[in-house]
Amino acid sequence: MFTSLSDKLQKYLLPIANKIGENRYLQAVKNAFLVSLPFTMFGSLILALANIPYMERILGTDALAAFQNAIIPIQNVTFNLITIMIVLGIGYSLGESYHLNQIYVAICALVGFLIVTPVSELADGGTGYSLNNMGSMSIFTGILIAILCSEIYRIVVQKNMIIRMPDSVPPMVTDSFVSLIPIGFVFIICFAIQLLFAQTSFGTMNSFVYEMIQIPISRLGSSFPAFLLAGALCNLFWFFGLHGNSIVYNSVLSPIFKSLSLENLAAFQAGEALPHIITEEFAFYFGGFNGSFIAYPVLICIFLFFRKKKDWKKLGEVALIPGIFSIYEPIVFGFPLMLNPVMLIPMLLTPMVSSAISYVFMYTGLCPLCTGVSVPWTTPMVLSGVITTNSLMGGIVQIIIIAALTVLWYIFLKIMYKQSEKQEEIKEA
Amino acid sequence: MKYITLLCSMGMSTSLLVNKMKDAAKQSGEEVTIKAMAKDSFASYDGQTDVILLGPQIRHMYDDLKNKYEAQNIKVAVIDNMDYGMMNGKKVLEFALNL
């Protein structure tokens, strides 16, 4: 019965995974966030360095304040310009997937974004864009505009509305003429959008999208029930041996959680109270969207309680080092967790247990919230908890989570152990 | 010389297997070049490959890749779950060479 059910589920999940994996726009958004990752990570690590607890006692208050001021430019060009990186990344990636000239599509997307974004008068009489409109508040506007501009560019090129050059003209020159008409269309349509929103009470597309789309989606996405559902869904994909994080998280959820992280980061930088419990780092290092939450408890169980079972121990040796760094494919496919009915329950419960424990600790203030500082996803547990919350409590909460999950996994591994013992007895008899 | 490329989501877990496969190749004296790559980087990869092996976690991409690359005489296959999980470099290498 289980096999037929899992066959059926697999029949539905594979095409979904394929659709999401192959969706051009989701792919482009995912690639764009990957491009921005090293920049925001660098910026956030510098910020973490400037805010190490008790640093003022070592450096003195003045020196620390001077250092914190000195790094503000780094914050400005990393997470306060993230929308620029996202827009360029989406344009570049869509340009690549449509086989267009990537750099022109990317710059078109950027220009389109800058057209709809308001400019303000500066004190010295000049005009400037506010950094507020280049950071987390404009991420959704940036995504929409970048996709729109890339599509306009593609449609115009595919309709062949381009200026042709004789073959003897060098390619660089041809490319810049080819892009002329598509760019013109991008300008006209973005100006129209800008004029249209200027007529509304929102004034700009940025504030319309922020209030009407970004905030509602973020609220919904970061609500606790939705978060639990997403975690369970992610591991359901893994149960069928499909890369749940890449399917559920990277392409669909990352814009939502990343923008929440950046809002926390801005508050952290300003020394204000952090607004969100659920952020990208919460998801990765507390909420269970990370192979460690399964690798650590399973490996602990194998090495502490099931050493006698030879095949498990052998798998444990293969899986240990990757497991410490959050790579848990050996456990999924080798143990295997995949399509192993007994293992489905703890797999689905793992993100629920870990996010419930963390949520309680953070909601009650026993553990500080994630500051938005990010680390590479392969960072071992405890270390990731300490850095992302800027507090030892983050590491302690992770240890509590791992202890609770070890109990959970022990119960189900014991069931599996007994089953396999019985099978071996039958074989021997 | 045979060129084998392993693809997974980020190129992380396949790179572990690649090391094991290289060890196995050294022992049996096979002339192979083995690489691991993130699935998204492969589209723009212009190096040589004779075989594409997919990590089982991205097997939903098998049909698309097969349609795209078999015409170019590149073999596409999904690595067996168990061999992948146990990081059995020797078996995966044999599998790739016998495709």
Side-chain angles (χ1 to χ4, degrees), chain A residues 13 231-247 289-291 294 328-329 332-333 337-339 347, chain B residues 9 13 56-57 59:
Chain A
L13 287 178
L233 196 63
C234 172
N235 276 5
L236 185 66
F237 274 106
W238 272 117
F239 178 74
F240 289 97
L242 295 167
H243 202 294
N245 299 59
S246 142
I247 295 161
F289 272 97
N290 186 317
I294 289 176
Y328 85 131
E329 275 90 341
V332 174
F333 298 108
L337 300 180
M338 184 186 169
L339 297 177
M347 280 183 91
Chain B
S9 188
S13 59
Q57 69 274 37
R59 65 179 185 283

mmCIF file of all heavy atoms in Angstrom, chain A residues 13 231-247 289-291 294 328-329 332-333 337-339 347, chain B residues 9 13 56-57 59:
data_model
loop_
_atom_site.group_PDB
_atom_site.id
_atom_site.type_symbol
_atom_site.label_atom_id
_atom_site.label_comp_id
_atom_site.label_asym_id
_atom_site.label_seq_id
_atom_site.Cartn_x
_atom_site.Cartn_y
_atom_site.Cartn_z
ATOM 1 N N LEU A 13 4.945 14.956 -7.699
ATOM 2 C CA LEU A 13 6.039 15.820 -7.226
ATOM 3 C C LEU A 13 7.113 16.044 -8.290
ATOM 4 O O LEU A 13 7.646 17.135 -8.404
ATOM 5 C CB LEU A 13 6.668 15.240 -5.960
ATOM 6 C CG LEU A 13 5.815 15.373 -4.696
ATOM 7 C CD1 LEU A 13 6.511 14.739 -3.520
ATOM 8 C CD2 LEU A 13 5.509 16.833 -4.394
ATOM 9 N N GLY A 231 8.451 24.203 5.599
ATOM 10 C CA GLY A 231 9.490 23.301 6.092
ATOM 11 C C GLY A 231 9.121 21.848 5.833
ATOM 12 O O GLY A 231 9.948 21.036 5.397
ATOM 13 N N ALA A 232 7.858 21.510 6.089
ATOM 14 C CA ALA A 232 7.409 20.140 5.877
ATOM 15 C C ALA A 232 7.465 19.794 4.385
ATOM 16 O O ALA A 232 7.892 18.698 4.006
ATOM 17 C CB ALA A 232 5.990 19.957 6.417
ATOM 18 N N LEU A 233 7.085 20.744 3.559
ATOM 19 C CA LEU A 233 7.081 20.526 2.111
ATOM 20 C C LEU A 233 8.503 20.282 1.600
ATOM 21 O O LEU A 233 8.750 19.394 0.782
ATOM 22 C CB LEU A 233 6.476 21.750 1.418
ATOM 23 C CG LEU A 233 6.038 21.558 -0.017
ATOM 24 C CD1 LEU A 233 4.926 20.528 -0.093
ATOM 25 C CD2 LEU A 233 5.565 22.883 -0.610
ATOM 26 N N CYS A 234 9.429 21.074 2.119
ATOM 27 C CA CYS A 234 10.834 20.938 1.735
ATOM 28 C C CYS A 234 11.324 19.523 2.026
ATOM 29 O O CYS A 234 11.923 18.863 1.173
ATOM 30 C CB CYS A 234 11.658 21.972 2.492
ATOM 31 S SG CYS A 234 13.425 21.797 2.311
ATOM 32 N N ASN A 235 11.018 19.036 3.228
ATOM 33 C CA ASN A 235 11.490 17.699 3.576
ATOM 34 C C ASN A 235 10.694 16.603 2.876
ATOM 35 O O ASN A 235 11.198 15.496 2.699
ATOM 36 C CB ASN A 235 11.457 17.505 5.092
ATOM 37 C CG ASN A 235 12.710 18.064 5.730
ATOM 38 O OD1 ASN A 235 13.538 18.664 5.051
ATOM 39 N ND2 ASN A 235 12.859 17.880 7.029
ATOM 40 N N LEU A 236 9.457 16.906 2.484
ATOM 41 C CA LEU A 236 8.697 15.928 1.710
ATOM 42 C C LEU A 236 9.400 15.690 0.371
ATOM 43 O O LEU A 236 9.528 14.550 -0.089
ATOM 44 C CB LEU A 236 7.257 16.413 1.493
ATOM 45 C CG LEU A 236 6.335 15.418 0.788
ATOM 46 C CD1 LEU A 236 6.105 14.185 1.658
ATOM 47 C CD2 LEU A 236 4.996 16.052 0.439
ATOM 48 N N PHE A 237 9.880 16.768 -0.248
ATOM 49 C CA PHE A 237 10.645 16.602 -1.485
ATOM 50 C C PHE A 237 11.892 15.765 -1.239
ATOM 51 O O PHE A 237 12.215 14.869 -2.005
ATOM 52 C CB PHE A 237 11.043 17.965 -2.070
ATOM 53 C CG PHE A 237 9.988 18.573 -2.947
ATOM 54 C CD1 PHE A 237 9.231 19.644 -2.515
ATOM 55 C CD2 PHE A 237 9.756 18.071 -4.218
ATOM 56 C CE1 PHE A 237 8.253 20.205 -3.323
ATOM 57 C CE2 PHE A 237 8.788 18.628 -5.039
ATOM 58 C CZ PHE A 237 8.025 19.704 -4.583
ATOM 59 N N TRP A 238 12.576 16.060 -0.127
ATOM 60 C CA TRP A 238 13.778 15.278 0.188
ATOM 61 C C TRP A 238 13.433 13.810 0.410
ATOM 62 O O TRP A 238 14.213 12.930 0.083
ATOM 63 C CB TRP A 238 14.469 15.824 1.450
ATOM 64 C CG TRP A 238 15.447 16.909 1.170
ATOM 65 C CD1 TRP A 238 15.374 18.206 1.603
ATOM 66 C CD2 TRP A 238 16.671 16.829 0.422
ATOM 67 N NE1 TRP A 238 16.466 18.925 1.163
ATOM 68 C CE2 TRP A 238 17.276 18.096 0.448
ATOM 69 C CE3 TRP A 238 17.310 15.789 -0.260
ATOM 70 C CZ2 TRP A 238 18.485 18.368 -0.187
ATOM 71 C CZ3 TRP A 238 18.519 16.056 -0.905
ATOM 72 C CH2 TRP A 238 19.089 17.337 -0.855
ATOM 73 N N PHE A 239 12.249 13.558 0.988
ATOM 74 C CA PHE A 239 11.845 12.173 1.216
ATOM 75 C C PHE A 239 11.783 11.409 -0.096
ATOM 76 O O PHE A 239 12.066 10.220 -0.161
ATOM 77 C CB PHE A 239 10.477 12.132 1.920
ATOM 78 C CG PHE A 239 9.975 10.744 2.145
ATOM 79 C CD1 PHE A 239 10.541 9.947 3.127
ATOM 80 C CD2 PHE A 239 8.964 10.218 1.369
ATOM 81 C CE1 PHE A 239 10.102 8.647 3.324
ATOM 82 C CE2 PHE A 239 8.510 8.925 1.553
ATOM 83 C CZ PHE A 239 9.086 8.144 2.548
ATOM 84 N N PHE A 240 11.411 12.121 -1.153
ATOM 85 C CA PHE A 240 11.401 11.475 -2.461
ATOM 86 C C PHE A 240 12.748 11.621 -3.161
ATOM 87 O O PHE A 240 12.880 11.398 -4.359
ATOM 88 C CB PHE A 240 10.276 12.029 -3.331
ATOM 89 C CG PHE A 240 8.936 11.586 -2.846
ATOM 90 C CD1 PHE A 240 8.165 12.395 -2.036
ATOM 91 C CD2 PHE A 240 8.479 10.316 -3.154
ATOM 92 C CE1 PHE A 240 6.946 11.969 -1.557
ATOM 93 C CE2 PHE A 240 7.256 9.873 -2.663
ATOM 94 C CZ PHE A 240 6.495 10.697 -1.876
ATOM 95 N N GLY A 241 13.757 12.014 -2.389
ATOM 96 C CA GLY A 241 15.098 12.105 -2.942
ATOM 97 C C GLY A 241 15.296 13.286 -3.864
ATOM 98 O O GLY A 241 16.180 13.282 -4.699
ATOM 99 N N LEU A 242 14.437 14.318 -3.725
ATOM 100 C CA LEU A 242 14.604 15.505 -4.565
ATOM 101 C C LEU A 242 15.094 16.653 -3.698
ATOM 102 O O LEU A 242 14.774 16.735 -2.519
ATOM 103 C CB LEU A 242 13.268 15.893 -5.217
ATOM 104 C CG LEU A 242 12.745 14.868 -6.203
ATOM 105 C CD1 LEU A 242 11.295 15.165 -6.559
ATOM 106 C CD2 LEU A 242 13.600 14.868 -7.467
ATOM 107 N N HIS A 243 15.850 17.560 -4.321
ATOM 108 C CA HIS A 243 16.499 18.619 -3.561
ATOM 109 C C HIS A 243 15.473 19.656 -3.081
ATOM 110 O O HIS A 243 15.205 20.646 -3.754
ATOM 111 C CB HIS A 243 17.558 19.286 -4.437
ATOM 112 C CG HIS A 243 18.603 19.979 -3.644
ATOM 113 N ND1 HIS A 243 18.326 21.076 -2.869
ATOM 114 C CD2 HIS A 243 19.915 19.733 -3.477
ATOM 115 C CE1 HIS A 243 19.432 21.470 -2.273
ATOM 116 N NE2 HIS A 243 20.415 20.670 -2.628
ATOM 117 N N GLY A 244 14.881 19.400 -1.902
ATOM 118 C CA GLY A 244 13.803 20.245 -1.385
ATOM 119 C C GLY A 244 14.199 21.698 -1.221
ATOM 120 O O GLY A 244 13.432 22.600 -1.560
ATOM 121 N N ASN A 245 15.401 21.937 -0.714
ATOM 122 C CA ASN A 245 15.808 23.322 -0.484
ATOM 123 C C ASN A 245 15.858 24.110 -1.781
ATOM 124 O O ASN A 245 15.424 25.248 -1.838
ATOM 125 C CB ASN A 245 17.194 23.365 0.157
ATOM 126 C CG ASN A 245 17.199 22.666 1.484
ATOM 127 O OD1 ASN A 245 16.889 21.476 1.548
ATOM 128 N ND2 ASN A 245 17.512 23.378 2.536
ATOM 129 N N SER A 246 16.397 23.467 -2.798
ATOM 130 C CA SER A 246 16.522 24.179 -4.056
ATOM 131 C C SER A 246 15.145 24.390 -4.691
ATOM 132 O O SER A 246 14.890 25.426 -5.309
ATOM 133 C CB SER A 246 17.482 23.408 -4.957
ATOM 134 O OG SER A 246 17.072 23.440 -6.277
ATOM 135 N N ILE A 247 14.232 23.417 -4.499
ATOM 136 C CA ILE A 247 12.919 23.526 -5.126
ATOM 137 C C ILE A 247 12.008 24.469 -4.336
ATOM 138 O O ILE A 247 11.396 25.375 -4.887
ATOM 139 C CB ILE A 247 12.258 22.137 -5.249
ATOM 140 C CG1 ILE A 247 13.067 21.249 -6.199
ATOM 141 C CG2 ILE A 247 10.815 22.250 -5.733
ATOM 142 C CD1 ILE A 247 12.798 19.776 -6.053
ATOM 143 N N PHE A 289 15.549 24.471 7.696
ATOM 144 C CA PHE A 289 15.815 24.441 6.251
ATOM 145 C C PHE A 289 17.291 24.188 5.980
ATOM 146 O O PHE A 289 17.964 24.970 5.328
ATOM 147 C CB PHE A 289 15.449 25.785 5.614
ATOM 148 C CG PHE A 289 14.024 25.878 5.190
ATOM 149 C CD1 PHE A 289 13.090 26.480 5.997
ATOM 150 C CD2 PHE A 289 13.623 25.350 3.975
ATOM 151 C CE1 PHE A 289 11.775 26.563 5.609
ATOM 152 C CE2 PHE A 289 12.305 25.434 3.572
ATOM 153 C CZ PHE A 289 11.380 26.038 4.398
ATOM 154 N N ASN A 290 17.806 23.108 6.516
ATOM 155 C CA ASN A 290 19.242 22.895 6.446
ATOM 156 C C ASN A 290 19.483 21.426 6.771
ATOM 157 O O ASN A 290 18.904 20.898 7.718
ATOM 158 C CB ASN A 290 19.884 23.816 7.489
ATOM 159 C CG ASN A 290 21.386 23.806 7.439
ATOM 160 O OD1 ASN A 290 21.999 22.758 7.311
ATOM 161 N ND2 ASN A 290 21.979 24.966 7.537
ATOM 162 N N GLY A 291 20.350 20.795 5.983
ATOM 163 C CA GLY A 291 20.619 19.375 6.177
ATOM 164 C C GLY A 291 21.118 19.028 7.574
ATOM 165 O O GLY A 291 20.911 17.919 8.056
ATOM 166 N N ILE A 294 18.960 17.262 10.235
ATOM 167 C CA ILE A 294 18.775 15.822 10.174
ATOM 168 C C ILE A 294 20.113 15.114 10.339
ATOM 169 O O ILE A 294 20.222 14.134 11.073
ATOM 170 C CB ILE A 294 18.063 15.421 8.860
ATOM 171 C CG1 ILE A 294 16.599 15.876 8.954
ATOM 172 C CG2 ILE A 294 18.164 13.926 8.612
ATOM 173 C CD1 ILE A 294 15.785 15.650 7.711
ATOM 174 N N TYR A 328 23.840 16.600 3.514
ATOM 175 C CA TYR A 328 23.339 15.341 4.065
ATOM 176 C C TYR A 328 22.830 14.368 3.020
ATOM 177 O O TYR A 328 22.151 13.409 3.336
ATOM 178 C CB TYR A 328 22.338 15.613 5.186
ATOM 179 C CG TYR A 328 20.895 15.853 4.825
ATOM 180 C CD1 TYR A 328 19.876 15.158 5.482
ATOM 181 C CD2 TYR A 328 20.524 16.792 3.880
ATOM 182 C CE1 TYR A 328 18.545 15.382 5.206
ATOM 183 C CE2 TYR A 328 19.200 17.033 3.591
ATOM 184 C CZ TYR A 328 18.212 16.313 4.257
ATOM 185 O OH TYR A 328 16.899 16.548 3.977
ATOM 186 N N GLU A 329 23.241 14.570 1.781
ATOM 187 C CA GLU A 329 22.871 13.627 0.728
ATOM 188 C C GLU A 329 23.263 12.187 1.057
ATOM 189 O O GLU A 329 22.477 11.272 0.777
ATOM 190 C CB GLU A 329 23.470 14.043 -0.616
ATOM 191 C CG GLU A 329 22.628 15.051 -1.370
ATOM 192 C CD GLU A 329 22.995 16.476 -1.027
ATOM 193 O OE1 GLU A 329 23.634 16.675 0.026
ATOM 194 O OE2 GLU A 329 22.655 17.377 -1.800
ATOM 195 N N VAL A 332 20.493 10.848 3.076
ATOM 196 C CA VAL A 332 19.237 10.719 2.323
ATOM 197 C C VAL A 332 19.264 9.488 1.428
ATOM 198 O O VAL A 332 18.333 8.697 1.416
ATOM 199 C CB VAL A 332 18.974 11.973 1.458
ATOM 200 C CG1 VAL A 332 17.753 11.774 0.574
ATOM 201 C CG2 VAL A 332 18.794 13.196 2.331
ATOM 202 N N PHE A 333 20.374 9.330 0.688
ATOM 203 C CA PHE A 333 20.390 8.269 -0.310
ATOM 204 C C PHE A 333 21.064 6.982 0.166
ATOM 205 O O PHE A 333 20.818 5.912 -0.365
ATOM 206 C CB PHE A 333 21.103 8.752 -1.580
ATOM 207 C CG PHE A 333 20.415 9.907 -2.210
ATOM 208 C CD1 PHE A 333 20.967 11.164 -2.157
ATOM 209 C CD2 PHE A 333 19.192 9.743 -2.836
ATOM 210 C CE1 PHE A 333 20.325 12.248 -2.720
ATOM 211 C CE2 PHE A 333 18.536 10.813 -3.407
ATOM 212 C CZ PHE A 333 19.107 12.071 -3.338
ATOM 213 N N LEU A 337 17.130 7.581 3.878
ATOM 214 C CA LEU A 337 15.881 8.171 4.364
ATOM 215 C C LEU A 337 14.850 8.130 3.250
ATOM 216 O O LEU A 337 13.655 8.048 3.475
ATOM 217 C CB LEU A 337 16.105 9.637 4.749
ATOM 218 C CG LEU A 337 17.121 9.937 5.846
ATOM 219 C CD1 LEU A 337 17.177 11.437 6.077
ATOM 220 C CD2 LEU A 337 16.747 9.229 7.131
ATOM 221 N N MET A 338 15.377 8.186 2.031
ATOM 222 C CA MET A 338 14.515 8.284 0.867
ATOM 223 C C MET A 338 13.562 7.096 0.781
ATOM 224 O O MET A 338 13.987 5.947 0.863
ATOM 225 C CB MET A 338 15.421 8.306 -0.361
ATOM 226 C CG MET A 338 14.700 8.500 -1.639
ATOM 227 S SD MET A 338 15.891 8.331 -2.984
ATOM 228 C CE MET A 338 14.763 8.276 -4.359
ATOM 229 N N LEU A 339 12.273 7.408 0.607
ATOM 230 C CA LEU A 339 11.243 6.387 0.412
ATOM 231 C C LEU A 339 11.240 5.317 1.503
ATOM 232 O O LEU A 339 10.858 4.176 1.268
ATOM 233 C CB LEU A 339 11.393 5.714 -0.961
ATOM 234 C CG LEU A 339 11.197 6.646 -2.140
ATOM 235 C CD1 LEU A 339 11.435 5.921 -3.444
ATOM 236 C CD2 LEU A 339 9.790 7.250 -2.133
ATOM 237 N N MET A 347 11.215 13.017 9.467
ATOM 238 C CA MET A 347 11.625 14.029 8.491
ATOM 239 C C MET A 347 10.659 15.200 8.493
ATOM 240 O O MET A 347 11.062 16.358 8.435
ATOM 241 C CB MET A 347 11.692 13.435 7.082
ATOM 242 C CG MET A 347 12.959 12.663 6.821
ATOM 243 S SD MET A 347 13.026 12.052 5.134
ATOM 244 C CE MET A 347 13.865 13.404 4.308
ATOM 245 N N SER B 9 22.744 20.164 -7.262
ATOM 246 C CA SER B 9 22.154 21.479 -7.097
ATOM 247 C C SER B 9 23.214 22.573 -6.992
ATOM 248 O O SER B 9 23.151 23.585 -7.668
ATOM 249 C CB SER B 9 21.263 21.461 -5.872
ATOM 250 O OG SER B 9 20.552 22.637 -5.786
ATOM 251 N N SER B 13 27.712 18.169 -3.027
ATOM 252 C CA SER B 13 27.783 16.750 -2.677
ATOM 253 C C SER B 13 28.391 15.934 -3.812
ATOM 254 O O SER B 13 29.074 14.957 -3.564
ATOM 255 C CB SER B 13 26.413 16.214 -2.271
ATOM 256 O OG SER B 13 25.489 16.368 -3.307
ATOM 257 N N PRO B 56 20.982 12.035 -7.762
ATOM 258 C CA PRO B 56 19.565 11.652 -7.749
ATOM 259 C C PRO B 56 18.646 12.772 -7.251
ATOM 260 O O PRO B 56 17.472 12.801 -7.602
ATOM 261 C CB PRO B 56 19.531 10.435 -6.818
ATOM 262 C CG PRO B 56 20.826 10.416 -6.096
ATOM 263 C CD PRO B 56 21.816 11.132 -6.949
ATOM 264 N N GLN B 57 19.165 13.709 -6.474
ATOM 265 C CA GLN B 57 18.295 14.774 -5.961
ATOM 266 C C GLN B 57 17.856 15.765 -7.036
ATOM 267 O O GLN B 57 16.965 16.560 -6.815
ATOM 268 C CB GLN B 57 18.949 15.502 -4.781
ATOM 269 C CG GLN B 57 20.155 16.363 -5.105
ATOM 270 C CD GLN B 57 21.449 15.572 -5.111
ATOM 271 O OE1 GLN B 57 21.477 14.428 -5.537
ATOM 272 N NE2 GLN B 57 22.520 16.173 -4.643
ATOM 273 N N ARG B 59 17.079 14.502 -10.189
ATOM 274 C CA ARG B 59 16.721 13.616 -11.294
ATOM 275 C C ARG B 59 15.526 14.133 -12.077
ATOM 276 O O ARG B 59 15.271 13.687 -13.186
ATOM 277 C CB ARG B 59 16.470 12.193 -10.801
ATOM 278 C CG ARG B 59 15.282 12.034 -9.885
ATOM 279 C CD ARG B 59 15.112 10.564 -9.481
ATOM 280 N NE ARG B 59 13.921 10.379 -8.703
ATOM 281 C CZ ARG B 59 13.797 10.705 -7.427
ATOM 282 N NH1 ARG B 59 14.828 11.240 -6.791
ATOM 283 N NH2 ARG B 59 12.669 10.527 -6.783
#
